[in-house]
Amino acid sequence: MTFDNYFDAQFELRYFEMNKLGLATPTIILGLLEETAADHSYSIGHSLFDLVNKNAGWVLVSGVLQMDRYPNYKEKITIRTWLSSYSSIRGYRENIIYDENKKIIGRAKGLWVFFDIERRRPIPIFNEIRERWSCFDKESISGDIKKKISAVDLPDYTHQFRVNRYDTDTNRHVNNIRYLQWVIESIPEDISENYFLHKIDGRFIHEAQYGDTVLSLTSELDAKHAFAHTIKIEGSDKVCATAKTLWKKY
């Protein structure tokens, strides 16, 4: 892909980021995608910590990640990111993940909203950010990430978690990575041990707060090795996130 309006970040996968097969975990990949976005912000003079000091931040409202394979221990990868479009309050961030041989091993896309941390609502993107963030209208992966994903009503598998302080980030809400971990924990052991997460498509609906107890609800779909997921607050009808996952044999 040849164009000028992208940002590249390189990473070398470390031991504690591996699973028992010596492969990076899905949560690590999501973490590296967020690190790349943070580095991109820093490169234009607007680090996420600077934004926090201005009572502003970015929140992911929907996204999709697809991995053809996960990188190995000590493997060097490059994540290329760019903005494909944005409006006054939100933008679409595209990502392509390359291995050491410049072969594409993964793709991701996210819809991010700029928001007021104290008031917990969207605000216009600062002009100085819009001026320095040019965009390129090429998509990294196809699909409508605004389309609703229905909540699970009758789960086949359920796990319970308490929201601790370490689950929250600088925006004072539960980080996206934690939701992915909660989803994976409710996957049947036979799947999690023998298959890898090929694709996850998720929507973030309401915030979970420190001290909440959340339920991770998972149901099997008709397609083979495919599941629907819901994260909700225990004892209420409040749905925090919904998702669909597809798993492939190692």
Side-chain angles (χ1 to χ4, degrees), residues 29 33 64-70 95 97 104-109 141-142 196-200 246 248:
I29 294 300
L33 288 168
V64 58
L65 167 65
Q66 180 174 305
M67 296 296 295
D68 296 323
R69 76 168 182 87
Y70 287 83
N95 302 272
I97 305 170
I104 296 174
I105 61 173
R107 301 173 184 269
K109 181 185 185 78
I141 185 171
S142 61
F196 71 91
L197 178 60
H198 171 57
K199 185 176 183 180
I200 181 167
L246 178 62
K248 285 189 174 183

Side-chain angles (χ1 to χ4, degrees), residues 35-167:
E35 185 70 15
T36 301
D39 285 350
H40 191 190
S41 293
Y42 181 83
S43 73
I44 64 168
H46 292 277
S47 80
L48 299 188
F49 290 106
D50 291 337
L51 292 179
V52 168
N53 290 334
K54 297 176 182 178
N55 194 43
W58 294 94
V59 61
L60 182 66
V61 296
S62 63
V64 58
L65 167 65
Q66 180 174 305
M67 296 296 295
D68 296 323
R69 76 168 182 87
Y70 287 83
N72 300 290
Y73 174 51
K74 288 295 183 181
E75 183 172 358
K76 296 180 177 65
I77 63 170
T78 298
I79 298 180
R80 176 162 295 178
T81 189
W82 69 96
L83 282 298
S84 58
S85 67
Y86 54 83
S87 65
S88 61
I89 63 170
R90 66 185 186 180
Y92 286 94
R93 179 172 290 280
E94 312 287 341
N95 302 272
I96 294 180
I97 305 170
Y98 296 92
D99 66 12
E100 294 178 322
N101 298 314
K102 303 302 180 184
K103 181 179 179 181
I104 296 174
I105 61 173
R107 301 173 184 269
K109 181 185 185 78
L111 175 58
W112 294 81
V113 169
F114 201 60
F115 83 127
D116 184 305
I117 294 175
E118 290 295 334
R119 301 172 75 182
R120 315 306 286 177
R121 70 182 191 184
I123 56 175
I125 301 170
F126 298 157
N127 286 334
E128 57 266 32
I129 293 178
R130 292 172 59 87
E131 289 168 0
R132 299 201 63 184
W133 251 346
S134 56
C135 66
F136 177 69
D137 62 358
K138 177 74 174 180
E139 290 187 301
S140 59
I141 185 171
S142 61
D144 182 6
I145 62 172
K146 292 192 297 182
K147 184 179 180 180
K148 180 180 178 180
I149 297 177
S150 298
V152 172
D153 292 322
L154 299 172
D156 298 307
Y157 312 95
T158 302
H159 268 61
Q160 182 187 83
F161 303 90
R162 178 178 171 81
V163 179
N164 297 298
R165 290 189 182 92
Y166 60 76
D167 295 318

Side-chain angles (χ1 to χ4, degrees), residues 156-205:
D156 298 307
Y157 312 95
T158 302
H159 268 61
Q160 182 187 83
F161 303 90
R162 178 178 171 81
V163 179
N164 297 298
R165 290 189 182 92
Y166 60 76
D167 295 318
T168 60
D169 57 22
T170 54
N171 292 331
R172 299 205 302 271
H173 73 164
V174 174
N175 188 269
N176 314 311
I177 298 171
R178 197 66 69 215
Y179 286 103
L180 177 55
Q181 289 176 322
W182 291 337
V183 163
I184 292 174
E185 286 294 329
S186 66
I187 289 291
E189 187 175 1
D190 174 63
I191 298 296
S192 63
E193 289 292 306
N194 300 296
Y195 295 75
F196 71 91
L197 178 60
H198 171 57
K199 185 176 183 180
I200 181 167
D201 190 9
R203 308 290 179 267
F204 299 95
I205 303 166

